Amino acid sequence: MRRALLAIAAVAFVLGLIARLKGLAVAPLAVDEFYIVRSVDNVLRTGLPKFLCGGWYGRGLTLQYGAAALELMGVAPVVAVRLVAAISSLLALPAAFLIARRLYDASVAWLVVSILSISVWEIAMARFGRMYAPFQAVFLWYAVFFIRYGLDRDRKALGMMALLSVVGLLTWEGGVFLPAANLLALFGFAQRPRWSLRLGLETLGLVGLAAFGYWLNTGALPVSNAALDFPSVSPPVSLEGGRGLFDLAPQPLTLSLSHPGWLLGALLPIIAVGAALPWVLRFRSRPLTVLGLLLVLLAALCGQFAAAGAALALLVVYGWLAWPEILSPAARRLHLALLACLVYWLAFTAVAIDWRSLHAGSAARTLALFVYELARLPDFFTVALWPWARTLPVLGLALSILLVVAFVRITRAGGGAPSAERVAFALFLSMLVLTALTEPPRVETRYTFFLYPLGIILALGTLWQLVPALMRGRRGAPVLAAGIALFGFAATEDYNHRFLFDVERAASVTQAGADPNMASHLVIRPDAPAMASWLREHVTRGRDVVISGYQSLDFYYPGVDYFFVDWREESFYDWACRHGTLERWTNRPLLYTEAALESTLRPHPRGFLVVYTDQEQRLLQDLARYAPRVVWSSDFVSIIELSPAAGAG
């Protein structure tokens, strides 16, 4: 059996290797890749990621300097940034193998390698010149040493965790989670930490590292080089949508402060929480348990039951609190306190909020908004559940079920010496909670990408143990488990043999005609080379004017005259440089109002405006007097031809 799995893993690895490296130069630059490529140009120019117009780009520093090193060796810019990501993806596989083997056995490890090798998501991100694949590799190797330290208390492993935390901080802003995980590893699985000079120094050092990570990710290398001053425009009002299903939802805790009657009613849950405190203080010899239970009660009192549940789950998985203690008759005061808080906030949310005025729509949508009110923090809905549900529903459901089973099975044993599986699950859950506490700029799956291999490992390991248990040890259980894992994965959204064997084809790299949710999941790549080719054929240099709103075009078409971004867009402040005179990434003169756009068009017989298709209709209406017409379009970007003479007439 193990030899068969090894053979399958070998074939899958070869296919995955080819898919990761074949034709890296073919795909057009995604706009996020263009940012890295342009910043690498700045690194090669000055040695620092400093914009020509001022300011710094501190994201993905390890990626930037790695790509710069490859360019110095003669590798093309597009290939260089993607090659760093592809190599990182390959380096993640041995780490995943080591984790799976320590948690379970070599058979599960080879299954993990097989699935990750041919995963469409893994391949797509490996071919994406951004920080996601590099950080995933850093995180998986960090997990190797986290598990080693959690089980063996190996000081060298703690040192490697600290080192990888620094690398993670310099790779992606999500690296700020790793210093927090260091502290969890230091005190995790210990009911009563034994203070010593060494533990104090280690704690101080890791707290300092966490503070450095926070500082680095909140302004150490700001994009902007000066406070912007635009006296000709009002403060920007975003034209972009919110978070879809949940952008209408109010916040009950804030609303409750303006309802005196409900504030008086809040005395009941407050009294119930106070009555639960003596039970909590019974664990005062276990300070981490007391701190966690206080957090559970505080979260419930504030109406944030996702936070209360997450805190309780972390207490259990780290072994600071056992299920028998939670379910014991002595814990009834805790149960009553949580129930009182839940009843209060359910009543308040149902009665005090005018749901009809929110235009929630269907009953299902209203119910989703209602539930969301009680689970805003951590925001599992918009960071994890919602992106996966709309993009990877089958895979997401299967993983969720297996991970819940894993949690129940792992924590049922209670405290005591932790297993490798328990330590790994604690890391996974901690990182998921920390990720859900952030506010990513978009609702996309990429922000949980670094957790995907560890989730696969825990899910496959659970399946590997569940099947023999259900078959009561009968022969053939491993074969059945392996078959379910491989064929089950092949039935999910993360396997596509056409993508695997035809990764270079234009439809694969530009996502032409793809569902928007899946396109963002696998990276949106408007066909900038085709756009540039059209402009070269139709634009008369010196007479026509080309105004672009899509930065990647600049890499393929140097004839762009101006850059345009509406001042009301959220990206305006990030892109504007030198008080709105230049666009930061292309260093082109910047236009950000319709008046400036019109005055720029007027002296020319024709103008060509490159815009995202979601802005197309608005601009066609606003510029109707210039006889606008769409002359080229893809799924995501369009070229609009304008006739200033028509406007003058």
Side-chain angles (χ1 to χ4, degrees):
M1 177 64 185
R2 189 166 295 179
R3 289 182 180 179
L5 290 175
L6 174 58
I8 292 171
V11 173
F13 175 78
V14 171
L15 292 174
L17 176 66
I18 295 172
R20 283 165 171 79
L21 300 178
K22 184 181 179 183
L24 284 178
V26 174
L29 271 179
V31 67
D32 287 350
E33 290 179 308
F34 175 78
Y35 297 157
I36 294 292
V37 168
R38 186 49 52 89
S39 194
V40 171
D41 290 341
N42 295 331
V43 169
L44 292 172
R45 178 175 53 85
T46 65
L48 297 170
K50 187 175 182 180
F51 295 105
L52 285 169
C53 65
W56 306 80
Y57 190 57
R59 301 189 70 191
L61 292 176
T62 55
L63 172 60
Q64 291 189 47
Y65 281 93
L70 289 173
E71 286 193 40
L72 289 174
M73 292 187 285
V75 180
V78 175
V79 175
V81 295
R82 293 172 181 168
L83 189 57
V84 174
I87 293 172
S88 299
S89 180
L90 293 171
L91 291 175
L93 293 176
F97 176 86
L98 291 174
I99 294 169
R101 187 177 65 178
R102 175 132 201 199
L103 267 60
Y104 306 106
D105 60 28
S107 296
V108 176
W110 291 125
L111 274 175
V112 168
V113 170
S114 300
I115 286 174
L116 294 180
S117 293
I118 59 174
S119 158
V120 170
W121 197 17
E122 290 288 331
I123 293 169
M125 299 306 274
R127 299 173 64 85
F128 183 37
R130 290 291 281 181
M131 302 81 66
Y132 304 107
F135 182 73
Q136 185 188 84
V138 172
F139 173 72
L140 283 177
W141 281 104
Y142 176 90
V144 170
F145 293 103
F146 184 96
I147 295 167
R148 184 177 302 174
Y149 181 76
L151 289 177
D152 308 328
R153 286 320 210 201
D154 183 349
R155 299 285 176 182
K156 293 181 180 179
L158 185 62
M160 287 301 301
M161 288 162 57
L163 176 61
L164 287 168
S165 297
V166 175
V167 176
L169 287 169
L170 298 176
T171 301
W172 182 50
E173 54 267 34
V176 74
F177 303 147
L178 300 186
N182 292 338
L183 292 168
L184 289 172
L186 195 64
F187 295 102
F189 310 104
Q191 295 286 358
R192 297 181 62 182
R194 296 181 179 179
W195 284 100
S196 64
L197 179 60
R198 170 179 282 183
L199 181 59
L201 292 174
E202 288 174 342
T203 303
L204 186 63
L206 294 179
V207 169
L209 181 58
F212 168 74
Y214 179 80
W215 170 79
L216 185 67
N217 284 282
T218 54
L221 293 174
V223 170
S224 301
N225 63 317
L228 300 180
D229 178 23
F230 299 103
S232 61
V233 298
S234 304
V237 178
S238 172
L239 296 178
E240 298 181 2
R243 294 195 166 192
L245 176 65
F246 307 115
D247 58 352
L248 295 175
Q251 297 201 30
L253 181 60
T254 305
L255 288 173
S256 67
L257 299 178
S258 60
H259 289 72
W262 284 100
L263 284 177
L264 183 63
L267 289 175
L268 292 176
I270 291 174
I271 292 171
V273 167
L277 291 180
W279 179 80
V280 172
L281 294 177
R282 291 177 57 184
F283 301 100
R284 55 184 172 273
S285 61
R286 292 146 54 179
L288 294 175
T289 302
V290 172
L291 182 63
L293 286 171
L294 290 176
L295 182 59
V296 169
L297 290 171
L298 178 62
L301 197 57
C302 293
Q304 292 305 313
F305 294 95
L312 196 60
L314 288 171
L315 281 172
V316 172
V317 80
Y318 274 100
W320 297 330
L321 194 66
W323 282 118
E325 293 173 317
I326 298 174
L327 301 176
S328 67
R332 284 175 183 168
R333 291 187 177 185
L334 174 68
H335 306 158
L336 290 174
L338 296 177
L339 180 61
C341 292
L342 179 61
V343 169
Y344 172 81
W345 285 111
L346 282 173
F348 177 86
T349 305
V351 176
I353 298 176
D354 185 2
W355 290 98
R356 288 178 295 181
S357 67
L358 294 177
H359 306 291
S362 66
R365 182 183 174 89
T366 303
L367 179 61
L369 286 168
F370 183 87
V371 173
Y372 183 66
E373 291 313 305
L374 306 177
R376 280 181 173 271
L377 189 74
D379 196 351
F380 294 113
F381 282 101
T382 54
V383 172
L385 297 180
W386 185 245
W388 276 69
R390 69 183 189 182
T391 306
L392 302 163
V394 175
L395 179 61
L397 180 61
L399 284 178
S400 298
I401 293 172
L402 288 171
L403 289 172
V404 168
V405 172
F407 174 77
V408 173
R409 182 174 50 79
I410 291 169
T411 58
R412 187 175 56 185
S419 64
E421 189 180 22
R422 188 179 194 128
V423 175
F425 196 97
L427 177 63
F428 177 85
L429 183 60
S430 301
M431 294 298 99
L432 181 60
V433 170
L434 288 172
T435 304
L437 286 171
T438 65
E439 293 185 6
R442 294 180 297 275
V443 181
E444 292 180 354
T445 52
R446 67 179 63 180
Y447 303 110
T448 54
F449 175 70
F450 75 101
L451 287 172
Y452 183 49
L454 190 53
I456 288 287
I457 292 169
L458 290 165
L460 287 178
T462 299
L463 182 66
W464 194 256
Q465 296 184 352
L466 190 62
V467 171
L470 293 175
M471 293 182 65
R472 298 181 180 179
R474 295 175 185 172
R475 295 180 60 184
V479 176
L480 179 59
I484 293 174
L486 293 172
F487 287 102
F489 177 76
T492 70
E493 304 86 355
D494 201 29
Y495 177 76
N496 186 322
H497 67 277
R498 292 182 179 177
F499 185 94
L500 184 65
F501 291 100
D502 196 17
V503 73
E504 284 184 287
R505 198 162 66 88
S508 297
V509 295
T510 63
Q511 305 303 321
D515 175 80
N517 293 327
M518 186 58 71
S520 63
H521 170 68
L522 298 180
V523 185
I524 297 173
R525 298 181 183 277
D527 199 348
M531 192 189 322
S533 177
W534 190 95
L535 289 170
R536 279 191 291 268
E537 292 177 8
H538 294 84
V539 171
T540 303
R541 298 299 302 153
R543 296 183 71 247
D544 300 333
V545 62
V546 178
I547 304 169
S548 175
Y550 178 60
Q551 284 105 335
S552 292
L553 177 62
D554 200 73
F555 184 82
Y556 299 98
Y557 184 75
V560 173
D561 298 299
Y562 297 89
F563 192 89
F564 174 74
V565 57
D566 193 297
W567 63 272
R568 292 164 292 183
E569 297 283 352
E570 288 184 351
S571 53
F572 174 61
Y573 274 3
D574 289 337
W575 293 354
C577 193
R578 291 189 182 174
H579 303 286
T581 59
L582 294 174
E583 195 278 326
R584 188 174 304 280
W585 299 100
T586 63
N587 213 44
R588 304 290 182 188
L590 177 63
L591 309 174
Y592 54 86
T593 64
E594 289 181 18
L597 183 62
E598 292 175 6
S599 64
T600 302
L601 286 168
R602 204 168 294 123
H604 301 275
R606 290 188 307 173
F608 295 92
L609 180 60
V610 180
V611 297
Y612 285 98
T613 51
D614 60 358
Q615 303 169 342
E616 182 182 299
Q617 290 303 315
R618 177 172 57 84
L619 288 170
L620 287 174
Q621 293 174 4
D622 293 345
L623 302 172
R625 58 186 170 281
Y626 295 111
R629 63 190 185 100
V630 177
V631 292
W632 187 95
S633 184
S634 69
D635 280 8
F636 304 104
V637 179
S638 298
I639 301 176
I640 300 174
E641 181 182 336
L642 301 159
S643 301

